[in-house]
Amino acid sequence: MKRFLAVLATCATAVGLTALAGPPAAAATGCKVDYTITSQWQGGFQAGVKVTNLGAPVTGWTLKWTMPDAGQKVVQGWNATWSQSGAAVTAASVDWNRTLGTGAATDLGFTGSFTGANPKPSAFTLNGVACTGSVGDEDPPPPTPGTDGTPVDVNGQLHVCGVNLCNQYNRPIQLRGMSTHGIQWFSKCYNNASLDALAKDWKSDLLRIAMYVQESGYETDPAGFTSRVNSYVDMAEARGMYALIDFHTLTPGDPNYNLDRAKTFFASVAARNAGKKNVIYEIANEPNGVSWAAIKNYAEQVIPVIRAADPDAVIIVGTRGWSSLGVSEGSNETEVVNSPVNATNIMYAFHFYAASHKDNYRAAVSRAAAKLPLFVTEFGTVSATGGGAMDRASTTAWLDLLDQLKISYANWTYSDASESSAAFKSGTCNGSDYSSSGVLTESGTLLKNRISTPDNFPTS
Ligand code: IDC
């Protein structure tokens, strides 16, 4: 062990000298930074800064660099605590991204101002160690939309047609994908490696972004959560996946409690993402203990806010009884059929947990699907607690029904939470392997098998 440490120390010195003497060696040591100017306008720009830790795992980190031009200033940054003194920029980890395992990456970014040219910085340090992997070592650029056969490329802007979700050819489609866990808790699970696995290995059509409002979520840091949602939208878009922005209300169950927050949040994300084809909005995860009339009232106030900024996106409205179309509170779909939300291009959410919700819920969905556009924005293979044994028979019955009715779905959760609903074994997100079968739980294995089968989206 001692000898190993001594060898490491020698390597570190050698790398330090190389960096001083000239261009860094191609071999990556310590860390790697990909600095991308994602857009630039008169005097301003936006930059993405992807930090990959190539050294030992760190808990708490500080990234530093020097702006090459004195006129370059960070105006507003996200996913880190930013400061600048003269040309020296510092981005310090925040609570949810402070742990970076070996090979793990995190995406930061900022808007900046500049005068004259806007050259990219080239030398970065992470916790004082030079990021020698930053030059000439970048990942290949994401595929160009329009030619790559991804779900968004093939289907384009979606819309509701009758009771279905339709693609740009006006043909019904079904999207099959995964939901994040609460992004306030599991951000370590959402990075380039995990989303590559979701898009390429799972062949997932969508990523649901579960942004809790309470429970240490949005209400504690509206600007921070808004920018994190936006960055996940971009990461899904870069991989050709749809992004379902879930305003994850849960407790309290009356969405009107969060009405002002919903208006602020959706005005912002809808304006920012209006030009994208991959965004779907889910305005209230699971109303509970509240009437359909109150939910409808909430929807009729939030939907116009989204429409004002992003007129053509599909919007999904939660339903009574934890989005059970009322069944879990002794009602059923007729309350929605008889009093639909006064808006177009909308769908209604239905949620189930296979071990808890069985034949009577499937019967309600079968009836409702003939009259209402439904989207299963969340379901579990387990009990409604998110834990307990996976119910394979009920899950299979549910997914066969959804396939037959072309109802889209997202499974809870694409995370390594210590609960049986999670797709990954606990601890997976501390590493960088999201692809081997050994990292999957029983639920993850079943879902990956279901989701990765060909979509055969209609194109004419
Ligand atoms: C659960 C999580 C669990 C967390 C709990 C409280 O799995 O780790 O402690 O929320 O926030 C839902 C909700 C969803 C629940 C899930 C399982 O939309 O937030 O997640 N569930 O209980 N509705 C039915 C089940």
Side-chain angles (χ1 to χ4, degrees):
M1 189 59 182
K2 245 194 192 135
R3 194 146 21 112
F4 181 59
L5 284 177
V7 171
L8 271 184
T10 317
C11 284
T13 316
V15 168
L17 286 176
T18 314
L20 278 180
T29 307
C31 43
K32 170 182 170 205
V33 173
D34 298 316
Y35 181 103
T36 318
I37 296 180
T38 50
S39 58
Q40 186 167 309
W41 55 95
Q42 185 87 46
F45 68 106
Q46 179 166 324
V49 184
K50 176 181 160 193
V51 184
T52 308
N53 178 24
L54 301 172
V58 295
T59 305
W61 47 263
T62 305
L63 176 75
K64 296 191 180 206
W65 75 83
T66 303
M67 288 294 199
D69 187 289
Q72 293 169 306
K73 299 271 182 265
V74 172
V75 175
Q76 199 195 1
W78 49 89
N79 296 353
T81 303
W82 294 82
S83 60
Q84 184 170 357
S85 167
V89 177
T90 303
S93 56
V94 287
D95 209 35
W96 55 268
N97 64 12
R98 56 205 282 269
T99 304
L100 276 187
T102 306
T106 190
D107 286 285
L108 325 175
F110 63 94
T111 52
S113 59
F114 68 101
T115 52
N118 190 21
K120 287 198 215 174
S122 58
F124 301 86
T125 62
L126 189 71
N127 287 352
V129 177
C131 296
T132 51
S134 64
V135 179
D137 201 19
E138 283 83 9
D139 290 331
T144 318
T147 55
D148 56 16
T150 63
V152 176
D153 175 47
V154 173
N155 295 299
Q157 177 61 53
L158 304 176
H159 64 280
V160 179
C161 52
V163 293
N164 291 113
L165 182 63
C166 277
N167 67 8
Q168 60 184 337
Y169 305 102
N170 207 25
R171 297 281 303 273
I173 60 161
Q174 178 198 32
L175 301 178
R176 298 171 296 160
M178 295 296 292
S179 174
T180 69
H181 203 292
I183 61 172
Q184 78 276 40
W185 296 311
F186 286 91
S187 61
K188 64 175 181 168
C189 293
Y190 313 114
N191 52 58
N192 286 319
S194 68
L195 294 185
D196 281 349
L198 185 62
K200 291 181 191 148
D201 303 339
W202 289 60
K203 303 193 187 344
S204 181
D205 306 322
L206 88 154
L207 174 72
R208 178 188 194 230
I209 304 164
M211 187 198 70
Y212 276 71
V213 186
Q214 276 72 44
E215 300 185 61
S216 312
Y218 175 82
E219 67 178 359
T220 64
D221 179 11
F225 279 98
T226 303
S227 72
R228 275 160 70 182
V229 167
N230 287 334
S231 89
Y232 295 147
V233 167
D234 293 351
M235 289 164 84
E237 182 188 36
R239 292 163 178 80
M241 290 188 285
Y242 288 91
L244 180 52
I245 299 181
D246 162 30
F247 193 68
H248 202 85
T249 59
L250 184 59
T251 309
D254 183 351
N256 291 291
Y257 176 84
N258 288 305
L259 180 60
D260 288 345
R261 292 183 192 94
K263 286 181 176 172
T264 304
F265 172 73
F266 282 111
S268 175
V269 290
R272 194 267 189 186
N273 298 305
K276 298 185 189 292
K277 293 181 182 158
N278 73 317
V279 178
I280 303 170
Y281 302 98
E282 181 182 4
I283 62 174
N285 166 52
E286 291 191 349
N288 58 88
V290 65
S291 67
W292 169 244
I295 302 165
K296 176 172 139 88
N297 173 59
Y298 167 86
E300 289 176 356
Q301 295 191 64
V302 175
I303 292 169
V305 172
I306 300 176
R307 290 277 182 256
D310 187 351
D312 61 355
V314 172
I315 299 175
I316 303 171
V317 180
T319 56
R320 187 173 157 205
W322 296 274
S323 287
S324 67
L325 286 167
V327 179
S328 287
E329 289 182 355
S331 183
N332 60 47
E333 75 286 357
T334 55
E335 64 185 19
V336 181
V337 173
N338 293 337
S339 179
V341 170
N342 184 16
T344 55
N345 213 23
I346 62 160
M347 306 184 85
Y348 297 93
F350 183 83
H351 291 179
F352 66 86
Y353 279 72
S356 304
H357 308 126
K358 301 189 180 180
D359 287 344
N360 59 322
Y361 288 84
R362 282 189 282 267
V365 166
S366 301
R367 290 190 309 267
K371 297 184 173 166
L372 299 169
L374 300 179
F375 197 126
V376 172
T377 54
E378 181 186 309
F379 79 95
T381 60
V382 300
S383 88
T385 61
M390 180 175 97
D391 191 328
R392 184 179 298 276
S394 176
T395 300
T396 303
W398 269 115
L399 295 180
D400 289 350
L401 178 66
L402 300 185
D403 290 354
Q404 183 202 322
L405 295 171
K406 281 202 188 307
I407 295 178
S408 300
Y409 63 77
N411 172 251
W412 186 263
T413 55
Y414 197 67
S415 84
D416 69 347
S418 303
E419 53 190 13
S420 51
S421 49
F424 293 111
K425 290 179 183 160
S426 180
T428 299
C429 302
N430 300 332
S432 53
D433 173 15
Y434 294 90
S435 293
S436 57
S437 57
V439 299
L440 296 174
T441 62
E442 198 184 4
S443 186
T445 305
L446 186 155
L447 261 300
K448 185 178 178 184
N449 283 338
R450 293 290 304 214
I451 290 177
S452 60
T453 60
D455 286 300
N456 299 322
F457 292 124
T459 55
S460 60

